Amino acid sequence: MTPELADLLDRLHVVALPMRVRFRGITIREVALIEGPAGWGEFGAFLEYAPPEAAHWLAAAIEGAYRPSPTVLRPRVPINATVPAVPAAQVGEVLSRFPGAGTAKVKVAEPGQTLADDVARVNAVRALVPTVRADANGGWTVEQAARAAAALTADGPLEYLEQPCASVDELAALRARIDVPIAADESIRKADDPLAVVRAGAADIAVLKVAPLGGVAVLLAIAAQIDIPVVVSSALDSAVGISHGLTAAAALPQLHHACGLGTGGLFTEDVVDVAAPVDGCLPVGPVTPDPARLRALAAPPERRQWWIDRIKACHPLLVPSSG
């Protein structure tokens, strides 16, 4: 059953995590944490998301707080380094926070930047990390993406190009034109039918995120229904949310690619003392926030109230199976 609203709010901690660099246009990441009987859950739907979309994130938080975790098949999960849309000169500094990472995901197609900026950033990463993937967050048309794919692979390969275009039809058209593998992210997590992109033959790899899909169980169910490799990624989560992503990745029958679960390195402070990756991997296991950090990182009262109001708006939208 879905927990009562009052019970959720009694267990709520809202924190504001400072970031090292601007990411998704923000320098402070707010999340609401729920201390439940089975562990900790995280509700961190981005601020612009309306209640129908944000409710999936609340369902994932409830799962983490109230339901036992699935059986895991591996104790560690390989992760990629995450390189925001920084100048090429800053790439080395960013990568230093991901010791041992053999794969890096590079943000491209940032508003206000050029393809030349993207190429310089990708090449700077390529000089330091053997496997490079790029993420455009749906920022290109098919024509722009085709040109970008050629430019970004002129000096070396890409493991894949993540969400180069916004729509499934565009991804399918682009996939027929380029040799670079295409990964789908937003086309899965923002779709009414998350399997449509796979049925359309529009992607070679599925990027799945626990929170936007509604929880670990939903992610694993989707992964079981598709015949392309899965990369489990984070949604700019705190250490609590990252732990659920690691659990999902560790529970997959097969894991062919490094996962996008290294975004904790983008924060200067988190709710626990986050260990650095070892040999490019993070350990799998539950996370219990440090009470002193919860207090120190607590969001101002008006922001806590904003999250309470948001939970009140999302709670009635939860289906019985999500709680």
Side-chain angles (χ1 to χ4, degrees):
M1 295 294 293
T2 301
E4 295 291 337
L5 177 62
D7 190 57
L8 287 178
L9 298 181
D10 281 346
R11 300 172 179 274
L12 191 67
H13 303 262
V14 179
V15 295
L17 307 179
M19 302 183 64
R20 297 181 189 277
V21 296
R22 183 175 297 274
F23 197 83
R24 281 188 56 96
I26 61 174
T27 55
I28 298 290
R29 173 68 165 132
E30 291 182 350
V31 297
L33 303 177
I34 300 170
E35 183 180 4
W40 285 77
E42 176 168 333
F43 176 46
F46 294 115
L47 304 187
E48 68 271 21
Y49 290 1
E53 184 172 2
H56 294 286
W57 299 61
L58 182 57
I62 289 171
E63 178 195 65
Y66 288 84
R67 291 183 169 179
S69 295
T71 301
V72 298
L73 305 177
R74 50 191 68 86
R76 303 190 309 159
V77 169
I79 63 160
N80 65 242
T82 298
V83 180
V86 297
Q90 293 181 22
V91 161
E93 176 192 348
V94 173
L95 290 176
S96 69
R97 297 193 285 274
F98 301 92
T103 301
K105 180 168 82 169
V106 186
K107 290 291 185 178
V108 294
E110 182 82 359
Q113 295 190 9
T114 67
L115 180 56
D117 295 326
D118 293 338
V119 170
R121 186 181 313 111
V122 166
N123 282 341
V125 173
R126 192 176 275 132
L128 298 172
V129 177
T131 302
V132 181
R133 53 182 67 155
D135 181 9
N137 289 117
W140 291 319
T141 65
V142 173
E143 290 297 329
Q144 289 171 331
R147 289 196 299 271
L152 293 171
T153 56
D155 299 305
L158 286 177
E159 182 186 25
Y160 59 73
L161 191 54
E162 182 174 330
Q163 200 68 46
C165 307
S167 74
V168 172
D169 288 345
E170 288 174 314
L171 293 182
L174 178 66
R175 188 166 179 249
R177 291 182 54 174
I178 68 173
D179 294 327
V180 181
I182 292 175
D185 175 10
E186 286 88 348
S187 290
I188 296 175
R189 64 181 167 89
K190 286 181 170 287
D192 292 333
D193 178 4
L195 300 178
V197 67
V198 178
R199 283 199 301 271
D204 301 280
I205 293 153
V207 178
L208 303 183
K209 299 181 178 180
V210 169
L213 291 174
V216 173
V218 176
L219 184 153
L220 294 176
I222 291 172
Q225 297 177 65
I226 60 179
D227 59 359
I228 61 175
V230 167
V231 171
V232 179
S233 194
S234 72
L236 202 55
D237 305 327
S238 80
V240 171
I242 292 291
S243 72
H244 296 303
L246 290 167
T247 295
L252 288 169
Q254 296 181 326
L255 191 63
H256 298 288
H257 299 275
C259 288
L261 296 169
T263 53
L266 298 174
F267 300 124
T268 59
E269 297 285 345
D270 208 329
V271 293
V272 297
D273 187 9
V274 179
V278 176
D279 296 330
C281 294
L282 287 175
V284 177
V287 164
T288 300
D290 178 349
R293 288 177 181 243
L294 289 175
R295 291 191 296 270
L297 295 167
E302 66 275 12
R303 294 305 303 162
R304 174 180 169 82
Q305 185 60 50
W306 187 91
W307 283 93
I308 288 172
D309 292 341
R310 193 180 203 195
I311 290 173
K312 289 179 177 178
C314 292
H315 188 264
L317 304 178
L318 297 172
V319 296
S321 62
S322 66

